[in-house]
Amino acid sequence: MTMSMKDEILKRILAANGEAVSGQELADSLGVSRTAVWKHMQTLQEEGYTFETIKKKGYVLTGVPNSLSPTQIELFLKTEHFGREIHYFDVVDSTQTIAHKLAQEGAPHGTVIIGEEQTAGRGRMARPWESVHGSGIWMTVIVRPDVTPQQASSFTLVVAVAVTMAIQTLYSDMEPAIKWPNDLLINGKKCTGILTEMQAEADLVQALLVGIGINANQETADFSPDIADIATSLRLEAGEEINRAALVALILQYLEQFTELYIEEGFASIKTLWEQLSCTIGQRIEVTTIRERFEGIASGITDDGVLQLTQDDGLVRTIYAGDIKIL
């Protein structure tokens, strides 16, 4: 990850752990003027960082914004590949759109595109996704697994496991549950959506573009009236502000771990964990596809991640795509 001069200064101040950092020493070690350091410090203050200036000692960091900047995420990052290249935007139309372009240009495995706000965020079937500035996690990860397009169909379920595990690890009192195929619910309300798109040839996946949208720090008033009854945020459920950078880093850690397992052993190795974390299996559900609507008991998923539904007459149907409603 190539850092700007401003981010390099911030990294060194963060690493000081509350000790004063000399502006002159920063200038000397980075090969810039003292004035240049001062200008970067002014920019950091505009971004929400606060400092105390101690005469003859330097800058002491006194406050950090809840930001998704690469420098903030890197503080918590423990991965080998995922998140080692981050493209960060204050406002972006859609991280998926940028990911498509970067993937075609050869962006490496694990590249992350992340924004504080999306103006054209979208979910499955091109549905709009509300992306309030500075409140959520709106990101796309470029994954380059050595699998066929047919094998890749279950990858969304792998991502759901990674996100669920990360949330549970940081907030043990929270119980997110996976609603097949790509939503996370808490107390029956949606907090996360996952959108996986693919760039592929006939027999080889070039890239999977994993879009993850998480309602992290929204308050009730942040949700529009048409979704207020069905949406929630991690903050509303936890009763405290969510450190978004820490959560992103942990998601990337779990996603890297489960992606490696998925590539080596297939989805079957993750299936049992998915079922344990799911709120779908064993429930009566209504399925809506392009052609029909029907209901029954969600009786399980296959080793390929396909949902199985048992109708009242005993007939078992396989659901490859569709919207489900838990009854």
Side-chain angles (χ1 to χ4, degrees):
M1 186 189 306
T2 302
M3 278 197 174
S4 67
M5 185 62 66
K6 178 196 71 177
D7 285 341
E8 186 62 45
I9 291 171
L10 176 59
K11 180 181 178 181
R12 297 187 185 202
I13 291 175
L14 289 168
N17 292 318
E19 297 296 321
V21 178
S22 164
Q24 189 60 56
E25 288 179 3
L26 285 171
D28 293 341
S29 63
L30 295 171
V32 298
S33 68
R34 181 68 182 81
T35 301
V37 170
W38 180 81
K39 288 181 178 178
H40 287 305
M41 295 299 294
Q42 292 295 109
T43 302
L44 288 169
Q45 286 182 314
E46 291 169 3
E47 293 177 359
Y49 295 90
T50 58
F51 304 92
E52 180 183 356
T53 305
I54 300 177
K55 190 174 182 180
K56 295 184 179 181
K57 287 189 176 182
Y59 301 101
V60 175
L61 184 66
T62 56
V64 177
N66 196 331
S67 164
L68 291 174
S69 70
T71 307
Q72 285 292 103
I73 294 171
E74 188 184 41
L75 289 174
F76 304 97
L77 204 57
K78 297 179 180 178
T79 59
E80 183 177 353
H81 301 290
F82 283 48
R84 295 302 170 181
E85 181 172 318
I86 298 178
H87 298 260
Y88 169 75
F89 301 88
D90 185 57
V91 179
V92 64
D93 55 355
S94 166
T95 59
Q96 287 290 106
T97 302
I98 294 176
H100 272 284
K101 182 176 182 294
L102 291 175
Q104 290 171 346
E105 294 172 351
H109 178 64
T111 296
V112 173
I113 301 90
I114 196 163
E116 296 287 355
E117 178 183 353
Q118 291 185 118
T119 57
R122 55 191 170 88
R124 289 176 65 241
M125 302 174 70
R127 295 188 179 111
W129 180 277
E130 294 185 6
S131 309
V132 180
H133 188 281
S135 294
I137 295 171
W138 327 119
M139 70 176 178
T140 300
V141 185
I142 298 175
V143 182
R144 297 189 183 276
D146 184 14
V147 297
T148 66
Q150 292 73 29
Q151 291 171 309
S153 61
S154 59
F155 193 70
T156 295
L157 282 69
V158 176
V159 181
V161 169
V163 176
T164 303
M165 292 292 291
I167 294 172
Q168 287 186 340
T169 299
L170 283 183
Y171 303 96
S172 58
D173 291 338
M174 213 178 294
E175 296 184 0
I178 304 169
K179 175 175 171 281
W180 187 91
N182 67 330
D183 292 341
L184 265 61
L185 309 182
I186 301 178
N187 295 323
K189 292 187 175 184
K190 183 173 177 176
C191 68
T192 300
I194 299 165
L195 173 65
T196 303
E197 297 177 317
M198 180 165 49
Q199 294 179 355
E201 298 176 3
D203 58 351
L204 181 67
V205 171
Q206 297 291 347
L208 296 177
L209 311 174
V210 180
I212 302 171
I214 303 175
N215 296 331
N217 282 320
Q218 285 93 331
E219 301 285 4
T220 302
D222 292 323
F223 296 115
S224 61
D226 56 328
I227 66 168
D229 291 338
I230 59 174
T232 188
S233 72
L234 301 184
R235 179 176 189 157
L236 289 173
E237 299 299 328
E240 62 181 90
E241 185 177 20
I242 304 302
N243 186 322
R244 295 182 299 149
L247 180 55
V248 166
L250 195 54
I251 289 171
L252 294 174
Q253 182 177 331
Y254 275 113
L255 186 55
E256 183 171 88
Q257 172 188 332
F258 286 119
T259 297
E260 290 174 357
L261 184 61
Y262 160 78
I263 292 171
E264 292 173 4
E265 302 181 15
F267 177 70
S269 61
I270 305 171
K271 173 185 171 184
T272 299
L273 182 54
W274 186 94
E275 290 176 329
Q276 292 172 352
L277 297 172
S278 173
C279 62
T280 304
I281 306 305
Q283 299 295 316
R284 187 169 189 84
I285 62 172
E286 178 184 82
V287 179
T288 302
T289 68
I290 296 175
R291 296 182 179 85
E292 58 182 330
R293 180 178 297 173
F294 51 92
E295 63 182 68
I297 301 297
S299 48
I301 55 172
T302 69
D303 287 349
D304 296 321
V306 178
L307 183 65
Q308 294 180 311
L309 177 141
T310 303
Q311 295 186 160
D312 294 341
D313 60 5
L315 177 68
V316 177
R317 303 183 63 162
T318 55
I319 315 300
Y320 292 91
D323 285 339
I324 72 167
K325 179 182 178 181
I326 300 173
L327 301 175

